[in-house]
Amino acid sequence: MQLSAAAPVILSLYVYAILLFSTAHAYNITQILAKHDDFSTFNRYLTLTHLAAEINRRQTITVLVLNNAAMNDILENHYSLYTIKNILSFHVLADYFGSKKLHHLNNGTTLTATMFQATGDAPGTSGYVNITALKGGKVGFASEDNTGRFASTFVKSVLEKPYKISVIQISRFLSSPYAEAPASGPTDVNITTLMAKQGCKAFADLLESTGADGTFALNVETGLTVFCPTDKVIQGFMPKYKNLSKDGKMSLLLYHGVPVYHNLGMLRSSNGVLNTLATGGSNKYDFTVQNSGDDVTLETKVVTAKITGTMYDEEPLSVFKLDKVLLPRELFKAASKSGSESYGAAPGPNSDDGVPSDQAAGQRNGGVRRSGAWLVAMILTFLCACI
């Protein structure tokens, strides 16, 4: 068998594609910090709190690392592990800040969100960090309500991979009364209480009235993503909800939960189909995740809903706000070809379209079905044609 003249080139492209897919998002914060003994305590607590895994999944991140002496200032207060996680989350910025960017801030100051902001324990914008240029070329870091005092300053850049990850050392830990407050573990979070406090009380009430909240609660420990329509959305949807059978109502509510943890960054990078808590047997009850830039939408073939905010995000639980109710095609008519989002007729009281909750909870699979290696497949096909 002879190779064509193009075969060496194709082989090179194939190897390059493999390397591309394996390194496109390859960084490990614990491995980065393991090279620096002075950050060993910080690194250890990233692992103990499982914050390291959350950092590694982010697409764009800045870690404000503390040396061992600065970490001791935290540990001497004998905080619980969950509180320490909140404190360290306050040191992880949800944006990229390299040394150059820090020393050339627009207007000399900026506010940026942290991972703590998405935990649900940060009221208002208390999970934001203020970064400000100080005299003498220094850069200060503090909580948003710092009254002009910056106790922590930039020390040095540890590692920079532009627009992916930046690890920089700061002189002292960032104090925040909210991050330092006693914190419960993620599995102790009451999902419906959380929803009710952040504009999704109507949906929370439906979960409690049907008992669906129990299924949601049982799935938190192993991983759960919840999509919650806001109160105004539920108010407009109630006439159609009331027309559903008892099983149909249960299936609709379970359809808003995915038994796998996904943060917003993961959803933005994972176009594909998601199964839900309602998935079981011949009833798919799935929907498709689509993204365009920073916008993430969920498509059910009946309606397209957009994620409008993050209510809670701390592994293994995340809760997002939606601008529409997710309507499964198993319960509602598909959208018209004209593109209008007609809800269609809901099943009547005797409809068998709804899946009983015990079936839905017992037969689910929350994996994302997607083909991420399409480029490699194309190159392999081309290679076979050239050999």
Side-chain angles (χ1 to χ4, degrees), residues 275-294:
N275 289 337
T276 69
L277 292 174
T279 300
S282 60
N283 296 285
K284 291 185 177 181
Y285 280 100
D286 55 18
F287 55 76
T288 302
V289 178
Q290 295 286 345
N291 58 75
S292 176
D294 290 337

mmCIF file of all heavy atoms in Angstrom, residues 275-294:
data_model
loop_
_atom_site.group_PDB
_atom_site.id
_atom_site.type_symbol
_atom_site.label_atom_id
_atom_site.label_comp_id
_atom_site.label_asym_id
_atom_site.label_seq_id
_atom_site.Cartn_x
_atom_site.Cartn_y
_atom_site.Cartn_z
ATOM 1 N N ASN A 275 -30.594 15.765 29.117
ATOM 2 C CA ASN A 275 -31.722 15.066 29.717
ATOM 3 C C ASN A 275 -32.065 15.737 31.040
ATOM 4 O O ASN A 275 -31.261 16.482 31.604
ATOM 5 C CB ASN A 275 -31.394 13.595 29.926
ATOM 6 C CG ASN A 275 -31.327 12.833 28.621
ATOM 7 O OD1 ASN A 275 -31.906 13.242 27.625
ATOM 8 N ND2 ASN A 275 -30.616 11.727 28.619
ATOM 9 N N THR A 276 -33.256 15.484 31.535
ATOM 10 C CA THR A 276 -33.755 16.172 32.716
ATOM 11 C C THR A 276 -34.237 15.187 33.777
ATOM 12 O O THR A 276 -34.208 13.972 33.568
ATOM 13 C CB THR A 276 -34.917 17.108 32.335
ATOM 14 O OG1 THR A 276 -36.054 16.312 31.950
ATOM 15 C CG2 THR A 276 -34.537 18.035 31.186
ATOM 16 N N LEU A 277 -34.702 15.717 34.895
ATOM 17 C CA LEU A 277 -35.266 14.873 35.953
ATOM 18 C C LEU A 277 -36.540 14.179 35.489
ATOM 19 O O LEU A 277 -36.978 13.197 36.092
ATOM 20 C CB LEU A 277 -35.572 15.718 37.194
ATOM 21 C CG LEU A 277 -34.369 16.291 37.957
ATOM 22 C CD1 LEU A 277 -34.855 17.217 39.067
ATOM 23 C CD2 LEU A 277 -33.512 15.177 38.527
ATOM 24 N N ALA A 278 -37.160 14.680 34.416
ATOM 25 C CA ALA A 278 -38.382 14.076 33.889
ATOM 26 C C ALA A 278 -38.099 12.995 32.853
ATOM 27 O O ALA A 278 -39.013 12.295 32.422
ATOM 28 C CB ALA A 278 -39.274 15.157 33.272
ATOM 29 N N THR A 279 -36.841 12.862 32.436
ATOM 30 C CA THR A 279 -36.482 11.878 31.415
ATOM 31 C C THR A 279 -36.669 10.465 31.951
ATOM 32 O O THR A 279 -36.222 10.139 33.045
ATOM 33 C CB THR A 279 -35.020 12.057 30.972
ATOM 34 O OG1 THR A 279 -34.859 13.365 30.428
ATOM 35 C CG2 THR A 279 -34.637 11.025 29.920
ATOM 36 N N GLY A 280 -37.345 9.617 31.174
ATOM 37 C CA GLY A 280 -37.523 8.232 31.606
ATOM 38 C C GLY A 280 -38.251 7.413 30.563
ATOM 39 O O GLY A 280 -39.218 7.871 29.951
ATOM 40 N N GLY A 281 -37.773 6.193 30.335
ATOM 41 C CA GLY A 281 -38.425 5.295 29.392
ATOM 42 C C GLY A 281 -38.487 5.870 27.996
ATOM 43 O O GLY A 281 -37.505 6.391 27.473
ATOM 44 N N SER A 282 -39.666 5.817 27.379
ATOM 45 C CA SER A 282 -39.817 6.315 26.010
ATOM 46 C C SER A 282 -40.036 7.824 25.976
ATOM 47 O O SER A 282 -40.080 8.427 24.913
ATOM 48 C CB SER A 282 -41.003 5.626 25.328
ATOM 49 O OG SER A 282 -42.205 5.877 26.044
ATOM 50 N N ASN A 283 -40.177 8.429 27.121
ATOM 51 C CA ASN A 283 -40.383 9.879 27.191
ATOM 52 C C ASN A 283 -39.047 10.585 27.359
ATOM 53 O O ASN A 283 -38.426 10.505 28.419
ATOM 54 C CB ASN A 283 -41.306 10.223 28.358
ATOM 55 C CG ASN A 283 -42.702 9.658 28.172
ATOM 56 O OD1 ASN A 283 -43.488 10.163 27.388
ATOM 57 N ND2 ASN A 283 -43.001 8.587 28.886
ATOM 58 N N LYS A 284 -38.612 11.257 26.328
ATOM 59 C CA LYS A 284 -37.281 11.876 26.349
ATOM 60 C C LYS A 284 -37.199 13.050 27.317
ATOM 61 O O LYS A 284 -36.266 13.164 28.090
ATOM 62 C CB LYS A 284 -36.887 12.330 24.936
ATOM 63 C CG LYS A 284 -36.616 11.182 23.982
ATOM 64 C CD LYS A 284 -36.123 11.707 22.635
ATOM 65 C CE LYS A 284 -35.789 10.557 21.702
ATOM 66 N NZ LYS A 284 -35.292 11.050 20.394
ATOM 67 N N TYR A 285 -38.153 13.936 27.224
ATOM 68 C CA TYR A 285 -38.144 15.128 28.069
ATOM 69 C C TYR A 285 -36.750 15.765 28.127
ATOM 70 O O TYR A 285 -36.210 16.013 29.196
ATOM 71 C CB TYR A 285 -38.621 14.798 29.480
ATOM 72 C CG TYR A 285 -40.131 14.723 29.587
ATOM 73 C CD1 TYR A 285 -40.777 13.485 29.579
ATOM 74 C CD2 TYR A 285 -40.903 15.879 29.682
ATOM 75 C CE1 TYR A 285 -42.160 13.403 29.660
ATOM 76 C CE2 TYR A 285 -42.283 15.807 29.775
ATOM 77 C CZ TYR A 285 -42.908 14.563 29.752
ATOM 78 O OH TYR A 285 -44.276 14.490 29.826
ATOM 79 N N ASP A 286 -36.180 16.008 26.950
ATOM 80 C CA ASP A 286 -34.873 16.656 26.889
ATOM 81 C C ASP A 286 -35.007 18.005 26.193
ATOM 82 O O ASP A 286 -36.057 18.352 25.662
ATOM 83 C CB ASP A 286 -33.846 15.778 26.166
ATOM 84 C CG ASP A 286 -34.292 15.366 24.766
ATOM 85 O OD1 ASP A 286 -35.212 16.015 24.212
ATOM 86 O OD2 ASP A 286 -33.749 14.394 24.206
ATOM 87 N N PHE A 287 -33.945 18.788 26.224
ATOM 88 C CA PHE A 287 -33.900 20.053 25.492
ATOM 89 C C PHE A 287 -32.471 20.309 25.047
ATOM 90 O O PHE A 287 -31.535 19.631 25.484
ATOM 91 C CB PHE A 287 -34.447 21.229 26.321
ATOM 92 C CG PHE A 287 -33.783 21.430 27.650
ATOM 93 C CD1 PHE A 287 -32.527 22.004 27.752
ATOM 94 C CD2 PHE A 287 -34.424 21.057 28.828
ATOM 95 C CE1 PHE A 287 -31.912 22.202 28.979
ATOM 96 C CE2 PHE A 287 -33.823 21.249 30.065
ATOM 97 C CZ PHE A 287 -32.564 21.818 30.135
ATOM 98 N N THR A 288 -32.307 21.279 24.161
ATOM 99 C CA THR A 288 -31.009 21.555 23.566
ATOM 100 C C THR A 288 -30.442 22.872 24.079
ATOM 101 O O THR A 288 -31.137 23.892 24.110
ATOM 102 C CB THR A 288 -31.109 21.626 22.030
ATOM 103 O OG1 THR A 288 -31.628 20.385 21.541
ATOM 104 C CG2 THR A 288 -29.738 21.869 21.402
ATOM 105 N N VAL A 289 -29.183 22.830 24.493
ATOM 106 C CA VAL A 289 -28.475 24.035 24.923
ATOM 107 C C VAL A 289 -27.805 24.669 23.714
ATOM 108 O O VAL A 289 -27.098 23.994 22.961
ATOM 109 C CB VAL A 289 -27.405 23.706 25.987
ATOM 110 C CG1 VAL A 289 -26.640 24.968 26.391
ATOM 111 C CG2 VAL A 289 -28.049 23.062 27.206
ATOM 112 N N GLN A 290 -28.038 25.948 23.507
ATOM 113 C CA GLN A 290 -27.408 26.688 22.429
ATOM 114 C C GLN A 290 -26.815 27.966 23.010
ATOM 115 O O GLN A 290 -27.366 28.534 23.957
ATOM 116 C CB GLN A 290 -28.410 27.051 21.320
ATOM 117 C CG GLN A 290 -28.989 25.859 20.576
ATOM 118 C CD GLN A 290 -27.991 25.221 19.626
ATOM 119 O OE1 GLN A 290 -26.964 25.813 19.319
ATOM 120 N NE2 GLN A 290 -28.280 24.021 19.161
ATOM 121 N N ASN A 291 -25.682 28.397 22.463
ATOM 122 C CA ASN A 291 -25.119 29.653 22.951
ATOM 123 C C ASN A 291 -24.616 30.506 21.807
ATOM 124 O O ASN A 291 -24.197 30.003 20.766
ATOM 125 C CB ASN A 291 -24.002 29.396 23.970
ATOM 126 C CG ASN A 291 -22.884 28.552 23.405
ATOM 127 O OD1 ASN A 291 -22.077 29.039 22.618
ATOM 128 N ND2 ASN A 291 -22.820 27.282 23.794
ATOM 129 N N SER A 292 -24.688 31.801 22.024
ATOM 130 C CA SER A 292 -24.184 32.782 21.075
ATOM 131 C C SER A 292 -23.506 33.876 21.882
ATOM 132 O O SER A 292 -24.165 34.674 22.555
ATOM 133 C CB SER A 292 -25.322 33.367 20.231
ATOM 134 O OG SER A 292 -24.845 34.391 19.371
ATOM 135 N N GLY A 293 -22.175 33.870 21.861
ATOM 136 C CA GLY A 293 -21.444 34.801 22.701
ATOM 137 C C GLY A 293 -21.665 34.461 24.166
ATOM 138 O O GLY A 293 -21.491 33.328 24.592
ATOM 139 N N ASP A 294 -22.112 35.439 24.939
ATOM 140 C CA ASP A 294 -22.373 35.216 26.360
ATOM 141 C C ASP A 294 -23.787 34.729 26.633
ATOM 142 O O ASP A 294 -24.108 34.351 27.761
ATOM 143 C CB ASP A 294 -22.127 36.503 27.147
ATOM 144 C CG ASP A 294 -20.648 36.864 27.217
ATOM 145 O OD1 ASP A 294 -19.820 35.951 27.058
ATOM 146 O OD2 ASP A 294 -20.336 38.053 27.414
#
